[in-house]
Amino acid sequence: MISTYDFGMIGLGVMGRNFLLNVADHGFSAAGLDLDAEKANALDEESAGRPVRGTTNTAEFVAMLRRPRKIMLLVPAGRAVDSVIESLLPLLDKGDLIIDGGNSYFEDTNRRQEYLKMKGVQFLGVGVSGGAEGARRGPSIMPGGHVGAYQLVGPILEAVSAKVNGVPCVAHLGNGAAGHYVKMVHNGIEYGLMQLIAEAYDILQTIGGLSNPELHEVFRRWNAGALESFLIEITADIFAKRDDKGDGWLVDKILDKAKQKGTGKWTSQNAMDLGIGIPTIDAAVTLRGLSALKIERKQAAPHYARAVEETPRVDKEQIVAQVGEALHFAFIITYAQGMHLLAEASEEYSYGLNLETVAKIWRGGCIIRASLLEDMRQAYQEQPALRNLLLAPAFHDALLHGQHAARAILKTAIDFGVPTLALSSALAYFDAYRSERLPLNLVQAQRDYFGSHTYERVDQEGVFHTEW
Ligand code: 6PG
């Protein structure tokens, strides 16, 4: 066996195969390994005529690769990653590189990095976003780890990534688990935006009375404006899809229980650990949990029927305009929460993140790509130490203006009993962040009252306790 292949992939599901075909499109030879012969064969069939080969034999796979070997894993996060690493280790040489391209938990990435360092094997934790289509045509790639390891594989990742104005949507993001951390927060933002869109849909349908074709038109129009983004674009498509198993529209036939694989929850959990508020992402995670309680919701529904029927319908055009502006406002707030978390985490974990770079590589290829990200990139370029996008002059007018639409539509939604946890959390976050004085002086007083936890004063230095 001649060791000539430039790049190896373990895990030949649709994502892995597509990623390899993309690698081959850019002139690199690539080997794929999957223990499932059907998947290895599928790679051979799909790549016919190109320097790509699939195998089910780990030793053969490793022997095919040019040294230092570059082996990417696209296998389910968790134990599978550890077991693949164990199966590789006896076959690898010092200096070979393993790239974990799955949605691994960042603490696992830290652990694997330490472990592989002891074994003399290089390791990168890399977030890959864009789904199967992105893997094939150009994903956004978020690599973290030692910069020397990145340089080994950088040219391949840069070639296969999405491009925005010719700029690759990949860059070495930082040390350690920086790549998987950034991907985790990407997914947290993804959860937030998806929940906001779902709430907008609920308001437009339940209160505005919009039909699916009308919703399609509204989202299509929004995608041509300030809300331009992948998620708005696919939402427009979804409303136009007819049910191929019966009458009507497919979206109406889909069970309203949203599943989750954990990345959104991890974002909320870690933000709590760091003491950073990301309430819109938290709300999205919470709603996935509530959505799963279908049986209980069905039991509760007749006891607390919505007052929708009794309330007069509102003006359609006005409601569409308000929801659009409120959504734009809440999108900015959701990105602001995620970016704020990244800024804090970068300090806490010494990632050395550059938020301009993060915004830059999210402009294309990934699920949260949006025209807003170019504005964010510019904001961080102008102020690299920016703590929160709410403090960026570029977003000032949009937020100042957008809050009115958010307030108006939320009042309507509350009157109609339409749940808007994410949208209201975005407005409440804005209201809290821009409040010089919050009522938490009272919380401090209570803590001191019942637990002698002490408090600081606004007019004197020091720490105080009162016998209440
Ligand atoms: C991406 C997606 C991808 C995956 C999500 C789905 O960036 O391409 O985020 O990673 O589709 O993890 O997550 P849930 O199953 O938790 O919704």
Side-chain angles (χ1 to χ4, degrees), residues 354-393:
N354 175 327
L355 294 186
E356 185 201 343
T357 305
V358 173
K360 184 181 81 178
I361 68 166
W362 282 354
R363 291 178 308 170
C366 64
I367 305 297
I368 65 167
R369 64 186 185 257
S371 57
L372 271 173
L373 277 159
E374 172 55 16
D375 302 332
M376 290 178 210
R377 188 199 64 73
Q378 285 176 24
Y380 286 110
Q381 184 183 35
E382 280 159 28
Q383 287 176 266
L386 184 66
R387 292 313 280 179
N388 193 307
L389 286 168
L390 268 72
L391 299 170

Side-chain angles (χ1 to χ4, degrees), residues 57-285:
N57 183 315
T58 309
E60 184 189 21
F61 167 78
V62 171
M64 280 160 77
L65 298 168
R66 186 199 309 252
R67 289 166 63 187
R69 301 180 181 90
K70 301 155 199 75
I71 300 174
M72 185 162 180
L73 275 45
L74 272 176
V75 299
R79 289 216 181 119
V81 177
D82 293 309
S83 75
V84 171
I85 289 175
E86 285 309 319
S87 71
L88 282 174
L89 276 177
L91 303 165
L92 296 185
D93 291 293
K94 295 242 178 293
D96 285 349
L97 168 64
I98 296 178
I99 304 151
D100 175 12
N103 279 331
S104 289
Y105 184 50
F106 73 100
E107 297 281 23
D108 288 341
T109 302
N110 285 330
R111 171 176 58 75
R112 289 172 188 138
Q113 214 145 35
E114 287 302 311
Y115 175 64
L116 288 170
K117 198 170 165 188
M118 283 178 343
K119 305 270 176 193
V121 170
Q122 310 199 65
F123 184 69
L124 289 172
V126 175
V128 179
S129 179
E133 185 61 19
R136 184 68 189 90
R137 306 275 161 224
S140 174
I141 307 177
M142 296 153 243
H146 194 270
V147 72
Y150 175 72
Q151 281 158 355
L152 275 183
V153 76
I156 299 178
L157 298 184
E158 282 157 33
V160 302
S161 74
K163 311 284 181 304
V164 172
N165 305 325
V167 180
C169 292
V170 56
H172 177 251
L173 292 180
N175 310 314
H180 277 146
Y181 194 92
V182 169
K183 178 60 177 20
M184 177 185 80
V185 175
H186 165 285
N187 282 26
I189 296 172
E190 172 186 302
Y191 272 52
L193 303 181
M194 289 167 75
Q195 178 60 29
L196 288 168
I197 293 172
E199 291 178 8
Y201 158 53
D202 202 0
I203 295 171
L204 292 176
Q205 189 184 52
T206 310
I207 308 175
L210 271 72
S211 64
N212 286 319
E214 285 172 320
L215 286 163
H216 165 74
E217 263 315 303
V218 166
F219 276 82
R220 213 183 48 78
R221 217 169 348 118
W222 283 348
N223 196 45
L227 278 168
E228 184 192 356
S229 56
F230 173 73
L231 286 169
I232 295 284
E233 180 190 332
I234 64 164
T235 306
D237 289 350
I238 288 168
F239 290 124
K241 190 78 178 168
R242 289 207 163 269
D243 182 11
D244 59 0
K245 294 192 170 38
D247 293 336
W249 306 96
L250 181 55
V251 68
D252 297 330
K253 309 288 177 65
I254 295 178
L255 186 64
D256 54 338
K257 279 167 77 170
K259 303 275 166 69
Q260 50 183 322
K261 291 204 280 289
T263 44
K265 181 184 74 180
W266 296 340
T267 309
S268 286
Q269 285 175 328
N270 189 252
M272 288 278 176
D273 286 344
L274 298 185
I276 303 301
I278 52 164
T280 310
I281 295 169
D282 300 340
V285 178

